[in-house]
């Protein structure tokens, strides 16, 4: 299943663009941890690892229904978590 929604990807790209960061310097890897027996009851869950290729910095965020990983990513950028 796809956990990262199109609007979240657009927001992610917009954050990078606003900070003049190259989108191809970042890689997203999502893992779906949803129990297939309960996904209709409890919603989708998982995590995304955001990696910056140029310096190897990585952060992991919970994703799925009701997550705010893009906001958390932006906050981490502001705090220098992916800085050179």
């Amino acid at each position: 299943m796809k956990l990262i929604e199109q609007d979240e990807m657009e927001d992610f790209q917009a954050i990078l663009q606003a900070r003049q960061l190259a989108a191809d310097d970042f890689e997203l890897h999502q893992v779906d941890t949803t129990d297939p027996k309960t996904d209709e009851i409890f919603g989708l869950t998982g995590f995304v690892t955001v990696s910056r290729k140029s310096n190897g910095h990585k952060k992991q965020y919970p994703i799925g229904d009701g997550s705010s990983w893009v906001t958390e990513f932006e906050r981490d950028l502001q705090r220098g978590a992916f800085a050179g």
Side-chain angles (χ1 to χ4, degrees):
M1 283 183 206
K2 186 175 178 183
L3 294 173
I4 299 175
E5 299 291 332
Q6 182 63 34
D7 62 331
E8 292 174 316
M9 282 303 299
E10 291 168 2
D11 291 346
F12 177 78
Q13 297 292 333
I15 289 166
L16 295 178
Q17 185 175 13
R19 295 184 163 276
Q20 299 178 338
L21 296 169
D24 62 354
D25 190 26
F26 288 83
E27 182 176 80
L28 302 178
H29 176 73
Q30 64 178 324
V31 175
D32 187 344
T33 60
T34 306
D35 181 347
K37 297 176 185 168
T38 62
D39 67 346
E40 293 180 20
I41 300 169
F42 296 109
L44 303 174
T45 60
F47 60 89
V48 61
T49 302
V50 180
S51 305
R52 186 166 186 186
K53 297 175 188 176
S54 62
N55 62 18
H57 292 198
K58 297 179 181 184
K59 291 283 283 185
Q60 193 174 84
Y61 305 96
I63 57 175
D65 296 342
S67 74
S68 58
W69 74 271
V70 177
T71 302
E72 293 174 34
F73 168 73
E74 184 174 28
R75 182 195 65 225
D76 286 342
L77 272 180
Q78 291 170 344
R79 293 179 178 170
F82 292 91

